[in-house]
Every structure is written in C-alpha cells, then in structure tokens.
Amino acid sequence: MNVVVVVVIGGIIGALDGVGIFFAPGEPFKTQIFFAAILKGILVSILTGLSLTSRSAWWQGAGYGLLYGFSFALVIFLAKGGFKSMDAPYVVPSGAILGVVTGLLLIKFAFLEL
C-alpha cells in the first residue's frame, strides 16, 4: 500500500466533501468545517487502506469504504444533534457515497504492483 497515495486520495475526497460549506449562508466556521472534512476523508482513506490488501477485489474496497465512510458520517450527524437539529441531514448519504468512491480509488491507485 502506498501511504502517500492513500493520504492524497483521502484529502482530495475530503476537500470535495467539505467545499460545499462555503455556499452555506450564515455559517461562521466555514474554514474549520472544511479542514475537518479533509481530515475525515484522510481518516476514512487510511482505515480503508489498512483493511485492504494487494489482492483485494474492487467490491471489497467499495464495501470497506462504505462501512468507514458511513460510520464517520454517522458520528458527525449524531454529534450535531441528529434528527433533532437537522443541521447536517446530507452528511450520512454523502459520507457513504464518498467512502465507496474512496475505496474504489484506493483499489485502483494505492495497491499498484511494481
């Protein structure tokens, strides 16, 4: 596993996930939320990468990415108050989808055999 590739993929996916906060009117902590999204993407990518091997199939990458992306997004959703606040209703689906994308990208690029 190429750790640099894993971190870069996670950072890019996290940045794509968090960039939408800059379009939220009235949000006072845009930069902090953006960097938290990048950190979340990196952590999901590292966990997914550590769960895979060079012989893992694409569906295993997608499955682990789904598991970790969903889990991290659920933690954020619940920390924001869950269904009572509805402050972050799209965090869980987007976290799950971006987790799958992360897993697939890791299978494709982080486990190249030389």
Side-chain angles (χ1 to χ4, degrees):
M1 174 178 75
N2 188 337
V3 178
V4 174
V5 172
V6 170
V7 171
V8 168
I9 288 173
I12 291 170
I13 295 294
L16 290 174
D17 188 21
V19 76
I21 196 64
F22 293 108
F23 298 104
E27 175 59 54
F29 305 112
K30 292 179 182 184
T31 306
Q32 292 88 340
I33 292 172
F34 179 68
F35 284 120
I38 292 173
L39 180 60
K40 179 185 77 108
I42 290 171
L43 291 173
V44 167
S45 186
I46 289 172
L47 277 174
T48 305
L50 289 174
S51 298
L52 298 171
T53 67
S54 60
R55 297 181 181 260
S56 296
W58 68 268
W59 57 269
Q60 290 171 313
Y64 281 121
L66 175 67
L67 173 70
Y68 297 129
F70 176 80
S71 299
F72 271 81
L74 187 62
V75 166
I76 292 168
F77 179 69
L78 294 174
K80 295 282 282 181
F83 291 110
K84 289 186 179 180
S85 75
M86 289 306 288
D87 212 17
Y90 303 110
V91 170
V92 176
S94 69
I97 292 168
L98 291 174
V100 169
V101 171
T102 299
L104 292 174
L105 289 173
L106 290 180
I107 288 291
K108 179 75 175 164
F109 297 110
F111 290 95
L112 296 176
E113 302 220 7
L114 301 174

